[in-house]
Amino acid sequence: MKIATYNVNGVNGRLDLLLRWLHEAEPDAVILQELKAPDANFPAKAIAAAGYGAVWHGQKSWNGVAILARGQKPHLTRKGLPGEPEDEQSRYVEAIVDGVVIGGLYLPNGNPYPGPKFDYKLRWFQRLQAYAAELLELEVPVVLVGDYNVMPTELDVYKPERWTNDALFRVEVREAFRDLVGQGWTDALRELHPGERIYTFWDYFRNAYARDAGLRLDHFLLSPDLAARLRKAEVDKHVRGWEHTSDHAPVWIELSEKPSKKRKLK
DNA sequence: ATGACCTCCCGTGGAGGA
C-alpha cells in the first residue's frame, strides 16, 4: 500500500499538476494540505475522473485538508482535532482506507515568533499529542501524516543557524515533535534514511530549489504495527521542479500487505 | 535586517505562507 502526502498550495490553482502527479505516482491514498478552497469548491469531479474517491475539510482562502483513495471513497471518521471547539481552522481530517486509520493534518505555521500565532501552534500541537495518545491506545494501524511545519532536527534544515527563532524551528516546537514521536510513533523517512539530508519543501524565494536550500516539513508518523510494515519512504522531488508547482514536493511511503491471519490448526 | 515569490480574495493591494 502506497500512501502519499502533498501540500498543494491551492487545490484548484494546482489541479492540473495534482492530476499529472496522481497519474504518474498512482498512490493508493493521498493526504492533501492547503486546499485554499471552501468545501463547495473542492474539485471532487476531476479527482473522481482520475479514479480517486475523496473526503475533505475545506475553508475559504486558507488551510483545508483532504484524503483521497484510489478506486474507493475513504471512510470519514473525523473532521477537526478535539480540545478547542472554537477553533474554526480546517487542519485535520481522518479516514480509514484499506484498514489503515489515516490522520491527515496541516499544523499551524506559527510565525511570527513570539506572538498569538505561535501560541496557537503550540496549543494545536498539545491537542495533537493528546489525541495521538488516544489513537495509540486503540492498537490499530494508524498513520499521522501531513505538513507538520516543523523541522525536527538540524539535519532537516539547509542552514539551521538562520532558523533558530523561526516558528518552524523554535526549540519548543521541536520538543513538541520529539515528545509526540516519543509516545511510540515512528518517523518513517528518518527510520529508513538515518543521517541523510532529505527535504520536502523549497522556498519560492532566492532560487531555493535550484540551490537545494530546503526544509523537511512533511512527515509520516507510524503506529507500531505500521512501522513493522514499512518498506519504502521517498520524496518525489522532481515534482518541485515542474512549472507552476507547489513549494512542497509529494512525499510517500510503501507498506507491505497486512500479515496474514492464518492460525495454526490444533 | 529586509525582501525575494506565490496563493487567494471581489481584490485592483493585502494577508498569509515558511
Side-chain angles (χ1 to χ4, degrees):
Chain A
M1 182 181 187
K2 181 176 182 179
I3 306 176
T5 180
Y6 189 13
N7 181 323
V8 288
N9 188 12
V11 72
N12 287 305
R14 216 74 74 185
L15 185 57
D16 288 347
L17 275 103
L18 172 62
L19 297 175
R20 176 179 168 191
W21 168 75
L22 279 176
H23 184 72
E24 171 190 292
E26 296 190 325
D28 297 296
V30 186
I31 297 78
L32 301 177
Q33 303 88 29
E34 288 208 76
L35 303 179
K36 295 187 172 180
D39 280 339
N41 290 1
F42 183 79
K45 281 181 187 169
I47 285 171
Y52 285 83
V55 295
W56 59 93
H57 186 27
Q59 182 181 333
K60 188 179 174 184
S61 302
W62 320 119
N63 310 318
V65 284
I67 297 176
L68 280 48
R70 189 149 64 112
Q72 59 181 304
K73 181 166 181 173
H75 178 76
L76 179 70
T77 48
R78 168 171 279 283
K79 288 184 184 180
L81 271 185
E84 193 170 317
E86 62 275 28
D87 182 4
E88 296 192 341
Q89 299 190 25
S90 298
R91 297 182 174 277
Y92 187 84
V93 63
E94 182 185 283
I96 299 171
V97 178
D98 292 342
V100 176
V101 178
I102 299 175
L105 62 97
Y106 173 50
L107 223 128
N109 174 302
N111 276 309
Y113 166 84
K117 292 186 176 179
F118 187 74
D119 298 340
Y120 172 67
K121 180 176 196 168
L122 291 184
R123 287 203 311 279
W124 209 94
F125 230 133
Q126 287 163 1
R127 289 162 59 199
L128 179 62
Q129 287 169 351
Y131 183 63
E134 289 182 28
L135 287 175
L136 274 185
E137 285 179 13
L138 299 177
E139 297 187 338
V140 296
V142 185
V143 53
L144 288 176
V145 49
D147 179 357
Y148 280 74
N149 267 319
V150 183
M151 300 86 92
T153 71
E154 297 203 338
L155 186 59
D156 303 309
V157 195
Y158 66 98
K159 200 168 269 197
E161 66 276 15
R162 290 272 179 89
W163 290 83
T164 47
N165 273 331
D166 190 282
L168 279 68
F169 200 53
R170 276 292 306 178
V171 60
E172 300 92 327
V173 175
R174 278 187 272 166
E175 280 174 3
F177 186 83
R178 196 187 59 207
D179 290 348
L180 172 62
V181 173
Q183 292 177 351
W185 301 90
T186 296
D187 176 345
L189 262 78
R190 267 295 161 250
E191 179 73 10
L192 294 187
H193 305 283
E196 191 177 323
R197 277 204 176 272
I198 302 172
Y199 302 137
T200 67
F201 166 92
W202 295 262
D203 217 310
Y204 287 121
F205 307 159
R206 291 165 297 212
N207 207 21
Y209 181 65
R211 295 186 298 120
D212 198 28
L215 308 171
R216 190 171 75 99
L217 301 179
D218 302 273
H219 309 299
F220 288 84
L221 297 192
L222 308 181
S223 64
D225 43 4
L226 286 189
R229 292 168 54 188
L230 179 64
R231 293 295 173 267
K232 289 184 182 177
E234 303 291 338
V235 181
D236 281 342
K237 184 178 175 182
H238 66 284
V239 174
R240 179 64 181 79
W242 288 354
E243 295 260 325
H244 197 56
T245 196
S246 168
D247 40 9
H248 292 251
V251 188
W252 55 270
I253 61 168
E254 178 81 41
L255 302 173
S256 64
E257 294 311 305
K258 262 188 272 192
S260 64
K261 289 185 178 173
K262 280 183 199 165
R263 288 185 194 164
K264 284 183 183 173
L265 295 172
K266 286 186 179 176

